[in-house]
Amino acid sequence: MKQIIAMGGGGFSMEPENPLLDQYILSQSKKESPKICFIPTASGDSENYIKRFYDFFRKQNCIPSHLSLFNPPTRDLENYLLEKDIIYVGGGSTKNLLALWKDWGIDQILRKAWNQGIILAGISAGSICWFEEGVTDSFGDGLEPIQCLGFLKGSNCPHYDGEEDRRLSYQDLIGTSRMRPGIAADDGVAIHYFDQDIKEIVSSRPAAGAYRVTFENNVMEESLPVRYL
């Protein structure tokens, strides 16, 4: 079964005192102590970001590691990633993430990982990257569409309630046919896919939501059921 967990926001990087989403991700592995690998490419392999990952996951029942493309742990990146149980992609610049992944061949390795049943997860840029398209601020001022890996059909918008203009910009892009219809997630929400279907949507915040945004004569926003963890 191919699995992706796309987070609109939250987790160790945004809610260090709220472990619910990250513990949910770990619980999806069938391993008692899963190997989880953090890929912080979108942040430029920020040392602070990597430290926060280890600060949280070293306290959990798992085996944490990370993949830096600025300081690779090995020449054999494919085997390094494909022996993990969970791959967790951090936030930052989606444009730079995709460019570096393509140059290093990480995009193709991640597709192999997905097809092999390794759980893929990510927040913000690490959520957008799995879809055909996403809403990004990678180009500077303003929000624009970006073409992504296309593992999941449609588009994605994280931080739907957490950043000013996200909701209006996403709806405008879909309403003017500059972006495919898709799924938006508030901060604190994770959308769990089995293949192309949503298995469930969970949240670390009681009032956080997820939405299907479509366009038929006008923009339609449908609230989706969310389970508070």
Side-chain angles (χ1 to χ4, degrees), residues 169-198:
S169 294
Y170 189 48
Q171 292 186 8
D172 179 63
L173 288 168
I174 291 173
T176 54
S177 299
R178 286 179 287 163
M179 177 171 278
R180 295 173 177 85
I183 299 291
D186 289 343
D187 287 340
V189 168
I191 304 168
H192 190 173
Y193 286 85
F194 275 15
D195 297 327
Q196 295 295 321
D197 299 320
I198 295 175

Side-chain angles (χ1 to χ4, degrees), residues 2-6 114 120-121 130 151-152 191-194:
K2 297 185 289 188
Q3 298 185 62
I4 290 177
I5 302 172
W114 185 52
L120 305 181
W130 311 119
F151 294 8
L152 297 174
I191 304 168
H192 190 173
Y193 286 85
F194 275 15

Side-chain angles (χ1 to χ4, degrees), residues 32-198:
E32 183 177 338
S33 183
K35 298 176 182 177
I36 181 168
C37 182
F38 181 47
I39 304 184
T41 313
S43 69
D45 288 350
S46 162
E47 290 185 8
N48 178 265
Y49 204 1
I50 295 167
K51 178 181 181 299
R52 284 183 285 154
F53 167 77
Y54 283 111
D55 285 346
F56 176 82
F57 282 98
R58 279 178 175 151
K59 297 175 185 175
Q60 310 303 311
N61 190 16
C62 66
I63 303 169
S65 61
H66 75 282
L67 171 63
S68 168
L69 295 182
F70 292 86
N71 186 23
T74 174
R75 285 182 175 270
D76 190 354
L77 298 182
E78 180 167 329
N79 281 332
Y80 182 80
L81 285 176
L82 294 183
E83 59 96 21
K84 310 303 183 192
D85 302 302
I86 303 169
I87 295 171
Y88 190 135
V89 180
S93 170
T94 312
K95 180 175 175 58
N96 289 334
L97 173 149
L98 292 169
L100 282 168
W101 280 5
K102 183 176 181 180
D103 193 61
W104 283 80
I106 300 298
D107 53 346
Q108 297 304 314
I109 296 171
L110 289 174
R111 185 173 287 277
K112 288 183 181 179
W114 185 52
N115 286 326
Q116 289 180 19
I118 295 171
I119 296 169
L120 305 181
I123 177 175
S124 193
S127 172
I128 293 168
C129 67
W130 311 119
F131 292 81
E132 290 178 303
E133 294 179 309
V135 179
T136 184
D137 56 7
S138 298
F139 299 96
D141 292 340
L143 295 164
E144 299 179 46
I146 187 168
Q147 299 295 310
C148 301
L149 298 178
F151 294 8
L152 297 174
K153 302 297 183 185
S155 64
N156 178 236
C157 179
H159 309 303
Y160 202 52
D161 69 336
E163 294 182 5
E164 189 177 0
D165 297 333
R166 280 275 175 175
R167 184 181 239 111
L168 289 177
S169 294
Y170 189 48
Q171 292 186 8
D172 179 63
L173 288 168
I174 291 173
T176 54
S177 299
R178 286 179 287 163
M179 177 171 278
R180 295 173 177 85
I183 299 291
D186 289 343
D187 287 340
V189 168
I191 304 168
H192 190 173
Y193 286 85
F194 275 15
D195 297 327
Q196 295 295 321
D197 299 320
I198 295 175

